[in-house]
Amino acid sequence: MHWSNSPIETQFRTIDGLCIRFAESEDRDDHALLLSPWPESLHAFEPTWARLAERIHLVAIDLPGFGHSQRSDALLSPRAMGEFVVSVADAFGLENPHLVGPDVGTSASLFAAAMNPGRLRSLVVGSGGSAVPLQLEGVLKDWIEAPDLEGYRSADPRQIVAGSLTHIERYALPDSVREDYLSSYEGDRFVESMRYVRAYPTELPLLRGLLSGIQTPVQIIAGARDPVVPPVNAEFLHERLPNSKLDVIDSGHFTWEDRADEYAALVTSWWSGGYATT
């Protein structure tokens, strides 16, 4: 589907038996795989798409259970999702791609790099839970700490997602994209997607033990005023990853939209050689 005035045209393909929504830019010699943030979709990359696609072939996906991709309960944890991300790279024939995984993609990207040394050229992560013990705030903290999900099953998922989107500070979210985000999590899709972050207390300690062995260069981008994932999460990664660069920018949570120009500049500079000098 191609929204009017949108640079992103979405398609679907089957990967590991799941119907996955993706978008692709013009083919280039170098490749990057982009993972949808939550509770958004691959349309979150609209404001950076043209800049990022200038010299790099982009493949953006909605992760299984997020956006408009089919859910697999077995993949609703960072470690399992990390393995799926490598399957996606294989399916698209992306040899040694850069990987961009903001938000929930942060932990999946790091697991992918840890479990598949040399498979990924570099990572761009940030705005995702990383620190151990957990250092999260607001509704995200509440969602993770809730004793069970039953209280959320009766809630209107569109209202929950709309509430999260109020934290977008500067970016004028196009109506078509807002509707894409809201419709992504209708029915039980939002409450089931919560299982991914509810795996953090179990899985982030496992990831912590792997960070020092990740040789893949990592660019970390965090919002200085993130109300749900404080910058301490980015600092936690930067202190433990052997090859990392940290940029904390003047933004809330949604750095890729609210500070699209700055975000795109950091990513393109990283791809242009910054990753090779960390």
Side-chain angles (χ1 to χ4, degrees):
M1 187 180 298
H2 194 210
W3 299 117
S4 59
N5 302 319
S6 170
I8 292 179
E9 184 169 356
T10 59
Q11 307 172 65
F12 290 87
R13 70 178 293 177
T14 301
I15 301 175
D16 288 2
L18 297 172
C19 184
I20 299 299
R21 188 172 73 159
F22 73 98
E24 200 167 4
S25 71
E26 186 179 341
D27 198 14
R28 310 275 189 200
D29 291 337
D30 290 330
H31 313 281
L33 178 58
L34 282 53
L35 312 179
S36 59
W38 179 64
E40 299 186 302
S41 74
L42 57 78
H43 281 284
F45 296 110
E46 277 203 7
T48 58
W49 189 262
R51 282 281 301 278
L52 299 185
E54 281 176 5
R55 293 183 179 85
I56 301 273
H57 167 230
L58 308 178
V59 175
I61 66 160
D62 285 341
L63 292 166
F66 298 91
H68 285 275
S69 286
Q70 184 180 356
R71 180 174 73 238
S72 165
D73 291 347
L75 294 179
L76 289 176
S77 71
R79 182 168 46 167
M81 195 68 84
E83 287 291 11
F84 182 79
V85 166
V86 174
S87 295
V88 172
D90 291 344
F92 280 95
L94 306 181
E95 293 184 21
N96 201 223
H98 299 287
L99 181 60
V100 179
D103 191 66
V104 291
T106 294
S107 48
S109 299
L110 290 165
F111 268 116
M115 297 185 294
N116 301 272
R119 180 66 182 84
L120 303 167
R121 188 175 308 184
S122 81
L123 308 183
V124 178
V125 300
S127 305
S130 313
V132 181
L134 266 62
Q135 301 205 44
L136 303 169
E137 301 293 342
V139 292
L140 182 57
K141 185 173 188 283
D142 296 340
W143 294 340
I144 291 171
E145 294 181 352
D148 56 53
L149 292 172
E150 294 315 304
Y152 293 98
R153 292 195 183 279
S154 58
D156 179 353
R158 289 176 68 95
Q159 283 195 338
I160 297 176
V161 174
S164 294
L165 299 179
T166 61
H167 291 297
I168 297 177
E169 300 173 338
R170 303 174 67 218
Y171 178 58
L173 196 62
D175 289 344
S176 58
V177 175
R178 180 183 297 275
E179 180 56 32
D180 186 78
Y181 294 169
L182 296 176
S183 62
S184 289
Y185 299 97
E186 288 180 331
D188 69 349
R189 282 183 61 84
F190 183 80
V191 73
E192 294 299 331
S193 70
M194 292 168 69
R195 295 184 185 279
Y196 183 94
V197 294
R198 286 170 64 83
Y200 283 0
T202 304
E203 298 228 327
L204 292 185
L206 299 175
L207 181 60
R208 175 184 59 185
L210 299 172
L211 294 176
S212 63
I214 296 176
Q215 296 301 317
T216 309
V218 183
Q219 163 76 66
I220 309 159
I221 304 172
R225 296 174 286 99
D226 192 324
V228 290
V229 185
V232 66
N233 288 273
E235 292 157 5
F236 181 90
L237 293 178
H238 186 48
E239 289 166 4
R240 289 162 179 80
L241 288 164
N243 301 303
S244 66
K245 177 175 178 281
L246 171 61
D247 287 277
V248 179
I249 61 180
D250 180 23
S251 173
H253 179 72
F254 296 92
T255 55
W256 45 92
E257 286 164 317
D258 276 333
R259 294 288 178 179
D261 288 348
E262 193 171 353
Y263 192 90
L266 286 168
V267 175
T268 53
S269 172
W270 177 250
W271 289 346
S272 296
Y275 74 92
T277 59
T278 54

PDB file of all heavy atoms in Angstrom, residues 149-173:
ATOM      1  N   LEU A 149      -1.838  -9.732  32.127  1.00  0.00           N
ATOM      2  CA  LEU A 149      -2.321  -8.874  31.049  1.00  0.00           C
ATOM      3  C   LEU A 149      -3.830  -8.697  31.048  1.00  0.00           C
ATOM      4  O   LEU A 149      -4.371  -7.964  30.210  1.00  0.00           O
ATOM      5  CB  LEU A 149      -1.883  -9.463  29.701  1.00  0.00           C
ATOM      6  CG  LEU A 149      -0.375  -9.439  29.416  1.00  0.00           C
ATOM      7  CD1 LEU A 149      -0.060 -10.230  28.156  1.00  0.00           C
ATOM      8  CD2 LEU A 149       0.121  -8.010  29.290  1.00  0.00           C
ATOM      9  N   GLU A 150      -4.521  -9.387  31.981  1.00  0.00           N
ATOM     10  CA  GLU A 150      -5.982  -9.400  31.910  1.00  0.00           C
ATOM     11  C   GLU A 150      -6.588  -8.009  31.986  1.00  0.00           C
ATOM     12  O   GLU A 150      -7.562  -7.711  31.303  1.00  0.00           O
ATOM     13  CB  GLU A 150      -6.550 -10.302  33.019  1.00  0.00           C
ATOM     14  CG  GLU A 150      -6.186 -11.764  32.842  1.00  0.00           C
ATOM     15  CD  GLU A 150      -6.363 -12.244  31.405  1.00  0.00           C
ATOM     16  OE1 GLU A 150      -7.488 -12.101  30.861  1.00  0.00           O
ATOM     17  OE2 GLU A 150      -5.381 -12.733  30.809  1.00  0.00           O
ATOM     18  N   GLY A 151      -6.004  -7.138  32.800  1.00  0.00           N
ATOM     19  CA  GLY A 151      -6.549  -5.796  32.939  1.00  0.00           C
ATOM     20  C   GLY A 151      -6.475  -4.986  31.664  1.00  0.00           C
ATOM     21  O   GLY A 151      -7.223  -4.014  31.483  1.00  0.00           O
ATOM     22  N   TYR A 152      -5.578  -5.385  30.752  1.00  0.00           N
ATOM     23  CA  TYR A 152      -5.409  -4.644  29.505  1.00  0.00           C
ATOM     24  C   TYR A 152      -6.293  -5.191  28.383  1.00  0.00           C
ATOM     25  O   TYR A 152      -6.485  -4.532  27.365  1.00  0.00           O
ATOM     26  CB  TYR A 152      -3.949  -4.679  29.060  1.00  0.00           C
ATOM     27  CG  TYR A 152      -3.036  -3.918  29.990  1.00  0.00           C
ATOM     28  CD1 TYR A 152      -2.297  -4.578  30.976  1.00  0.00           C
ATOM     29  CD2 TYR A 152      -2.917  -2.532  29.913  1.00  0.00           C
ATOM     30  CE1 TYR A 152      -1.472  -3.882  31.842  1.00  0.00           C
ATOM     31  CE2 TYR A 152      -2.101  -1.823  30.771  1.00  0.00           C
ATOM     32  CZ  TYR A 152      -1.376  -2.514  31.735  1.00  0.00           C
ATOM     33  OH  TYR A 152      -0.557  -1.819  32.597  1.00  0.00           O
ATOM     34  N   ARG A 153      -6.834  -6.386  28.571  1.00  0.00           N
ATOM     35  CA  ARG A 153      -7.610  -6.998  27.492  1.00  0.00           C
ATOM     36  C   ARG A 153      -8.920  -6.275  27.233  1.00  0.00           C
ATOM     37  O   ARG A 153      -9.441  -6.315  26.121  1.00  0.00           O
ATOM     38  CB  ARG A 153      -7.871  -8.481  27.789  1.00  0.00           C
ATOM     39  CG  ARG A 153      -6.601  -9.305  27.739  1.00  0.00           C
ATOM     40  CD  ARG A 153      -6.849 -10.790  27.676  1.00  0.00           C
ATOM     41  NE  ARG A 153      -5.591 -11.520  27.698  1.00  0.00           N
ATOM     42  CZ  ARG A 153      -4.806 -11.707  26.636  1.00  0.00           C
ATOM     43  NH1 ARG A 153      -5.170 -11.227  25.461  1.00  0.00           N
ATOM     44  NH2 ARG A 153      -3.676 -12.366  26.742  1.00  0.00           N
ATOM     45  N   SER A 154      -9.446  -5.626  28.260  1.00  0.00           N
ATOM     46  CA  SER A 154     -10.714  -4.917  28.085  1.00  0.00           C
ATOM     47  C   SER A 154     -10.510  -3.467  27.644  1.00  0.00           C
ATOM     48  O   SER A 154     -11.477  -2.769  27.328  1.00  0.00           O
ATOM     49  CB  SER A 154     -11.511  -4.939  29.392  1.00  0.00           C
ATOM     50  OG  SER A 154     -10.748  -4.351  30.435  1.00  0.00           O
ATOM     51  N   ALA A 155      -9.259  -3.011  27.629  1.00  0.00           N
ATOM     52  CA  ALA A 155      -8.973  -1.633  27.236  1.00  0.00           C
ATOM     53  C   ALA A 155      -9.041  -1.492  25.713  1.00  0.00           C
ATOM     54  O   ALA A 155      -8.865  -2.466  24.970  1.00  0.00           O
ATOM     55  CB  ALA A 155      -7.598  -1.218  27.738  1.00  0.00           C
ATOM     56  N   ASP A 156      -9.301  -0.278  25.241  1.00  0.00           N
ATOM     57  CA  ASP A 156      -9.336   0.000  23.812  1.00  0.00           C
ATOM     58  C   ASP A 156      -7.901   0.170  23.321  1.00  0.00           C
ATOM     59  O   ASP A 156      -7.222   1.136  23.691  1.00  0.00           O
ATOM     60  CB  ASP A 156     -10.133   1.281  23.565  1.00  0.00           C
ATOM     61  CG  ASP A 156     -10.204   1.654  22.087  1.00  0.00           C
ATOM     62  OD1 ASP A 156      -9.521   1.001  21.264  1.00  0.00           O
ATOM     63  OD2 ASP A 156     -10.928   2.617  21.757  1.00  0.00           O
ATOM     64  N   PRO A 157      -7.410  -0.755  22.486  1.00  0.00           N
ATOM     65  CA  PRO A 157      -6.002  -0.668  22.064  1.00  0.00           C
ATOM     66  C   PRO A 157      -5.700   0.607  21.289  1.00  0.00           C
ATOM     67  O   PRO A 157      -4.590   1.140  21.369  1.00  0.00           O
ATOM     68  CB  PRO A 157      -5.812  -1.913  21.193  1.00  0.00           C
ATOM     69  CG  PRO A 157      -7.179  -2.325  20.775  1.00  0.00           C
ATOM     70  CD  PRO A 157      -8.088  -1.912  21.879  1.00  0.00           C
ATOM     71  N   ARG A 158      -6.669   1.122  20.558  1.00  0.00           N
ATOM     72  CA  ARG A 158      -6.434   2.355  19.806  1.00  0.00           C
ATOM     73  C   ARG A 158      -6.182   3.513  20.771  1.00  0.00           C
ATOM     74  O   ARG A 158      -5.351   4.384  20.488  1.00  0.00           O
ATOM     75  CB  ARG A 158      -7.613   2.659  18.885  1.00  0.00           C
ATOM     76  CG  ARG A 158      -7.717   1.688  17.705  1.00  0.00           C
ATOM     77  CD  ARG A 158      -8.953   1.969  16.859  1.00  0.00           C
ATOM     78  NE  ARG A 158      -8.878   3.233  16.159  1.00  0.00           N
ATOM     79  CZ  ARG A 158      -8.460   3.375  14.899  1.00  0.00           C
ATOM     80  NH1 ARG A 158      -8.058   2.320  14.195  1.00  0.00           N
ATOM     81  NH2 ARG A 158      -8.440   4.563  14.328  1.00  0.00           N
ATOM     82  N   GLN A 159      -6.883   3.508  21.900  1.00  0.00           N
ATOM     83  CA  GLN A 159      -6.656   4.563  22.896  1.00  0.00           C
ATOM     84  C   GLN A 159      -5.280   4.432  23.529  1.00  0.00           C
ATOM     85  O   GLN A 159      -4.618   5.433  23.805  1.00  0.00           O
ATOM     86  CB  GLN A 159      -7.742   4.522  23.975  1.00  0.00           C
ATOM     87  CG  GLN A 159      -9.069   5.105  23.542  1.00  0.00           C
ATOM     88  CD  GLN A 159      -9.981   5.387  24.718  1.00  0.00           C
ATOM     89  OE1 GLN A 159      -9.836   4.815  25.789  1.00  0.00           O
ATOM     90  NE2 GLN A 159     -10.936   6.281  24.514  1.00  0.00           N
ATOM     91  N   ILE A 160      -4.849   3.205  23.794  1.00  0.00           N
ATOM     92  CA  ILE A 160      -3.527   2.988  24.392  1.00  0.00           C
ATOM     93  C   ILE A 160      -2.436   3.493  23.443  1.00  0.00           C
ATOM     94  O   ILE A 160      -1.513   4.216  23.842  1.00  0.00           O
ATOM     95  CB  ILE A 160      -3.302   1.498  24.725  1.00  0.00           C
ATOM     96  CG1 ILE A 160      -4.312   1.024  25.775  1.00  0.00           C
ATOM     97  CG2 ILE A 160      -1.872   1.280  25.231  1.00  0.00           C
ATOM     98  CD1 ILE A 160      -4.224  -0.467  26.083  1.00  0.00           C
ATOM     99  N   VAL A 161      -2.540   3.116  22.172  1.00  0.00           N
ATOM    100  CA  VAL A 161      -1.537   3.543  21.191  1.00  0.00           C
ATOM    101  C   VAL A 161      -1.585   5.058  21.020  1.00  0.00           C
ATOM    102  O   VAL A 161      -0.539   5.731  20.994  1.00  0.00           O
ATOM    103  CB  VAL A 161      -1.746   2.821  19.841  1.00  0.00           C
ATOM    104  CG1 VAL A 161      -0.794   3.375  18.789  1.00  0.00           C
ATOM    105  CG2 VAL A 161      -1.534   1.316  20.010  1.00  0.00           C
ATOM    106  N   ALA A 162      -2.792   5.617  20.923  1.00  0.00           N
ATOM    107  CA  ALA A 162      -2.927   7.066  20.783  1.00  0.00           C
ATOM    108  C   ALA A 162      -2.290   7.788  21.961  1.00  0.00           C
ATOM    109  O   ALA A 162      -1.655   8.843  21.800  1.00  0.00           O
ATOM    110  CB  ALA A 162      -4.397   7.453  20.656  1.00  0.00           C
ATOM    111  N   GLY A 163      -2.426   7.210  23.157  1.00  0.00           N
ATOM    112  CA  GLY A 163      -1.802   7.803  24.342  1.00  0.00           C
ATOM    113  C   GLY A 163      -0.293   7.821  24.227  1.00  0.00           C
ATOM    114  O   GLY A 163       0.364   8.815  24.584  1.00  0.00           O
ATOM    115  N   SER A 164       0.277   6.727  23.704  1.00  0.00           N
ATOM    116  CA  SER A 164       1.733   6.672  23.518  1.00  0.00           C
ATOM    117  C   SER A 164       2.194   7.722  22.513  1.00  0.00           C
ATOM    118  O   SER A 164       3.240   8.350  22.684  1.00  0.00           O
ATOM    119  CB  SER A 164       2.152   5.287  23.029  1.00  0.00           C
ATOM    120  OG  SER A 164       1.904   4.305  24.007  1.00  0.00           O
ATOM    121  N   LEU A 165       1.405   7.929  21.472  1.00  0.00           N
ATOM    122  CA  LEU A 165       1.800   8.847  20.407  1.00  0.00           C
ATOM    123  C   LEU A 165       1.754  10.303  20.845  1.00  0.00           C
ATOM    124  O   LEU A 165       2.328  11.166  20.166  1.00  0.00           O
ATOM    125  CB  LEU A 165       0.913   8.638  19.176  1.00  0.00           C
ATOM    126  CG  LEU A 165       0.975   7.242  18.534  1.00  0.00           C
ATOM    127  CD1 LEU A 165       0.030   7.153  17.346  1.00  0.00           C
ATOM    128  CD2 LEU A 165       2.402   6.881  18.114  1.00  0.00           C
ATOM    129  N   THR A 166       1.095  10.597  21.974  1.00  0.00           N
ATOM    130  CA  THR A 166       1.102  11.982  22.468  1.00  0.00           C
ATOM    131  C   THR A 166       2.505  12.411  22.878  1.00  0.00           C
ATOM    132  O   THR A 166       2.763  13.609  23.038  1.00  0.00           O
ATOM    133  CB  THR A 166       0.149  12.171  23.666  1.00  0.00           C
ATOM    134  OG1 THR A 166       0.572  11.332  24.755  1.00  0.00           O
ATOM    135  CG2 THR A 166      -1.282  11.823  23.289  1.00  0.00           C
ATOM    136  N   HIS A 167       3.427  11.456  23.048  1.00  0.00           N
ATOM    137  CA  HIS A 167       4.806  11.795  23.403  1.00  0.00           C
ATOM    138  C   HIS A 167       5.622  12.250  22.189  1.00  0.00           C
ATOM    139  O   HIS A 167       6.784  12.638  22.344  1.00  0.00           O
ATOM    140  CB  HIS A 167       5.495  10.612  24.079  1.00  0.00           C
ATOM    141  CG  HIS A 167       4.952  10.299  25.440  1.00  0.00           C
ATOM    142  ND1 HIS A 167       5.027  11.195  26.482  1.00  0.00           N
ATOM    143  CD2 HIS A 167       4.317   9.196  25.923  1.00  0.00           C
ATOM    144  CE1 HIS A 167       4.471  10.655  27.569  1.00  0.00           C
ATOM    145  NE2 HIS A 167       4.035   9.451  27.243  1.00  0.00           N
ATOM    146  N   ILE A 168       5.043  12.163  20.978  1.00  0.00           N
ATOM    147  CA  ILE A 168       5.705  12.759  19.817  1.00  0.00           C
ATOM    148  C   ILE A 168       5.578  14.268  19.970  1.00  0.00           C
ATOM    149  O   ILE A 168       4.473  14.808  19.988  1.00  0.00           O
ATOM    150  CB  ILE A 168       5.074  12.276  18.497  1.00  0.00           C
ATOM    151  CG1 ILE A 168       5.253  10.756  18.354  1.00  0.00           C
ATOM    152  CG2 ILE A 168       5.699  12.992  17.307  1.00  0.00           C
ATOM    153  CD1 ILE A 168       4.608  10.174  17.107  1.00  0.00           C
ATOM    154  N   GLU A 169       6.713  14.946  20.097  1.00  0.00           N
ATOM    155  CA  GLU A 169       6.716  16.350  20.502  1.00  0.00           C
ATOM    156  C   GLU A 169       6.643  17.344  19.342  1.00  0.00           C
ATOM    157  O   GLU A 169       5.953  18.360  19.430  1.00  0.00           O
ATOM    158  CB  GLU A 169       7.990  16.648  21.310  1.00  0.00           C
ATOM    159  CG  GLU A 169       8.135  15.826  22.567  1.00  0.00           C
ATOM    160  CD  GLU A 169       9.484  16.033  23.249  1.00  0.00           C
ATOM    161  OE1 GLU A 169      10.448  16.461  22.568  1.00  0.00           O
ATOM    162  OE2 GLU A 169       9.566  15.777  24.455  1.00  0.00           O
ATOM    163  N   ARG A 170       7.357  17.075  18.267  1.00  0.00           N
ATOM    164  CA  ARG A 170       7.511  18.081  17.208  1.00  0.00           C
ATOM    165  C   ARG A 170       6.982  17.610  15.862  1.00  0.00           C
ATOM    166  O   ARG A 170       6.493  18.415  15.078  1.00  0.00           O
ATOM    167  CB  ARG A 170       8.999  18.443  17.029  1.00  0.00           C
ATOM    168  CG  ARG A 170       9.689  18.941  18.276  1.00  0.00           C
ATOM    169  CD  ARG A 170      11.188  19.120  18.033  1.00  0.00           C
ATOM    170  NE  ARG A 170      11.481  20.197  17.101  1.00  0.00           N
ATOM    171  CZ  ARG A 170      12.439  20.154  16.191  1.00  0.00           C
ATOM    172  NH1 ARG A 170      13.181  19.075  16.060  1.00  0.00           N
ATOM    173  NH2 ARG A 170      12.658  21.174  15.379  1.00  0.00           N
ATOM    174  N   TYR A 171       7.109  16.358  15.579  1.00  0.00           N
ATOM    175  CA  TYR A 171       6.767  15.827  14.260  1.00  0.00           C
ATOM    176  C   TYR A 171       5.244  15.846  14.079  1.00  0.00           C
ATOM    177  O   TYR A 171       4.502  15.368  14.947  1.00  0.00           O
ATOM    178  CB  TYR A 171       7.307  14.402  14.132  1.00  0.00           C
ATOM    179  CG  TYR A 171       6.983  13.709  12.834  1.00  0.00           C
ATOM    180  CD1 TYR A 171       7.375  14.252  11.607  1.00  0.00           C
ATOM    181  CD2 TYR A 171       6.316  12.485  12.819  1.00  0.00           C
ATOM    182  CE1 TYR A 171       7.096  13.595  10.414  1.00  0.00           C
ATOM    183  CE2 TYR A 171       6.040  11.816  11.634  1.00  0.00           C
ATOM    184  CZ  TYR A 171       6.428  12.383  10.441  1.00  0.00           C
ATOM    185  OH  TYR A 171       6.156  11.736   9.262  1.00  0.00           O
ATOM    186  N   ALA A 172       4.791  16.403  12.965  1.00  0.00           N
ATOM    187  CA  ALA A 172       3.359  16.400  12.639  1.00  0.00           C
ATOM    188  C   ALA A 172       3.033  15.063  11.973  1.00  0.00           C
ATOM    189  O   ALA A 172       3.276  14.868  10.780  1.00  0.00           O
ATOM    190  CB  ALA A 172       3.038  17.565  11.715  1.00  0.00           C
ATOM    191  N   LEU A 173       2.511  14.153  12.759  1.00  0.00           N
ATOM    192  CA  LEU A 173       2.246  12.795  12.283  1.00  0.00           C
ATOM    193  C   LEU A 173       1.140  12.833  11.223  1.00  0.00           C
ATOM    194  O   LEU A 173       0.026  13.272  11.509  1.00  0.00           O
ATOM    195  CB  LEU A 173       1.815  11.929  13.474  1.00  0.00           C
ATOM    196  CG  LEU A 173       1.837  10.421  13.313  1.00  0.00           C
ATOM    197  CD1 LEU A 173       3.251   9.920  13.036  1.00  0.00           C
ATOM    198  CD2 LEU A 173       1.285   9.755  14.572  1.00  0.00           C
TER     199      LEU A 173
END
